Amino acid sequence: MTKVQINLPDQLAQEAQNAGLLTERTIVTSLGKLKSISVESPVILIVGDVVKHYQPKEKILFLGLDPWSCKMNRQLVHYPLIEIRELKTKLPKLSRYDAIVFTSKNGVRSILSKHTLKAHKIIAIGQHTKRTVESYGYKVDHLPKRPDSESLAELIRAAKFKKVLYPVSQLSNNVLHRLKNVEAKVVYRTKFKQQPKLDLKNYSGLVFSSASTVKAYFKIYQNIPGHLQLFVYGDHVAAELKKKGYTNVQALPL
């Protein structure tokens, strides 16, 4: 009878701890070295040549509310640092306005889920907001040249609207608030969300979707480690990071 010797210590092993959670950790090693690695149960253990095909993806933390609209060839991990609370704001009659400007999906939902628009012109800051408006069956009449509040202000001045409704959160503060024909109404609240502090060494980047996510991040962390890539939506978010001394950012399409 022939003896078959199996050299288990040389077999590749892959352990996944806390799979699907923010604290997920994947370790590729050999069976012989497993005893020297400290992991907590429960774990998933994969053994054999199949481990050779494991290709780790860079993990990026998405700090806002809607990671599904973010198109990146990376593994996005949702780590929301803000939450939205809709308010029961009593709006004046919509017939007072000839236009409505939307700078966020939350603003769109707060109005279009409750009110029917008639002859109003609709202005959206960018493509993501435009698609949200269209999901309610409305057409966007105006988009600025660039997806930022300064370009929106230029557009509104040129169009000479009589009265523009601007649904916002209580944290909103930009040039639109200083236009005489724009009436800002707080229809939702943005609140900071307490999250567990993570080991940022396990991630390669951060996506800041709003200025409030920047402020919320620095409520938890003192600084941004140098190895992290920084991605932002809009110039106002980049400006908020610049106040903290971080200028090396990559803009994502709004």
Side-chain angles (χ1 to χ4, degrees):
M1 187 166 99
T2 305
K3 291 184 178 180
V4 178
Q5 184 176 358
I6 301 176
N7 190 9
L8 283 179
D10 291 332
Q11 285 284 301
L12 283 172
Q14 176 184 337
E15 287 185 304
Q17 178 183 350
N18 294 331
L21 301 179
L22 288 169
T23 51
E24 178 182 317
R25 187 164 65 120
T26 300
I27 303 167
V28 177
T29 183
S30 67
L31 284 177
K33 295 178 180 177
L34 270 182
K35 61 183 179 181
S36 63
I37 296 173
S38 175
V39 293
E40 295 179 6
S41 181
V43 295
I44 299 170
L45 180 63
I46 302 170
V47 180
D49 286 343
V50 68
V51 178
K52 292 178 182 177
H53 302 289
Y54 170 65
Q55 294 182 338
K57 280 188 177 181
E58 291 184 82
K59 292 195 293 184
I60 306 286
L61 283 175
F62 189 94
L63 309 181
L65 296 172
D66 191 8
W68 304 277
S69 61
C70 183
K71 307 299 181 186
M72 298 180 72
N73 190 25
R74 319 278 185 97
Q75 181 184 346
L76 282 177
V77 179
H78 196 198
Y79 181 60
L81 297 184
I82 58 171
E83 56 186 352
I84 299 298
R85 297 287 176 85
E86 207 165 298
L87 301 176
K88 294 181 180 179
T89 305
K90 188 174 181 180
L91 294 174
K93 289 184 178 180
L94 291 185
S95 56
R96 288 184 54 198
Y97 309 98
D98 55 342
I100 301 181
V101 57
F102 294 114
T103 56
S104 72
K105 294 179 179 181
N106 298 307
V108 174
R109 294 173 186 134
S110 66
I111 298 297
L112 299 188
S113 64
K114 300 173 183 175
H115 303 278
T116 300
L117 305 186
K118 294 182 180 178
H120 302 85
K121 295 295 183 181
I122 299 179
I123 312 160
I125 192 169
Q127 291 297 329
H128 290 334
T129 308
K130 177 176 179 284
R131 284 193 287 271
T132 307
V133 170
E134 291 170 342
S135 71
Y136 284 91
Y138 292 95
K139 178 176 74 73
V140 170
D141 301 286
H142 299 282
L143 279 172
K145 294 177 182 177
R146 301 183 309 278
D148 56 50
S149 55
E150 286 75 15
S151 292
L152 271 178
E154 290 175 16
L155 188 158
I156 291 171
R157 289 191 193 101
K160 297 182 180 179
F161 296 113
K162 292 179 181 177
K163 199 72 173 175
V164 181
L165 175 63
Y166 181 23
V168 297
S169 86
Q170 88 285 7
L171 298 179
S172 179
N173 180 23
N174 57 53
V175 66
L176 296 181
H177 291 262
R178 297 187 284 278
L179 298 182
K180 291 182 179 180
N181 62 336
V182 172
E183 188 174 337
K185 288 290 182 181
V186 175
V187 293
Y188 64 93
R189 292 185 65 82
T190 302
K191 298 186 67 177
F192 297 141
K193 185 173 184 177
Q194 189 61 43
Q195 290 279 27
K197 196 170 184 178
L198 302 178
D199 185 352
L200 296 177
K201 293 177 183 176
N202 297 324
Y203 300 91
S204 60
L206 304 172
V207 177
F208 294 94
S209 62
S210 64
S212 54
T213 60
V214 176
K215 294 173 184 175
Y217 173 89
F218 284 99
K219 281 183 173 290
I220 301 174
Y221 302 92
Q222 285 69 49
N223 54 56
I224 300 177
H227 74 281
L228 292 175
Q229 290 180 279
L230 306 183
F231 303 90
V232 300
Y233 282 110
D235 293 342
H236 61 297
V237 185
E240 195 65 37
L241 279 170
K242 188 177 181 180
K243 292 178 186 176
K244 301 290 186 180
Y246 300 93
T247 57
N248 189 19
V249 301
Q250 183 175 333
L252 297 172
L254 275 168

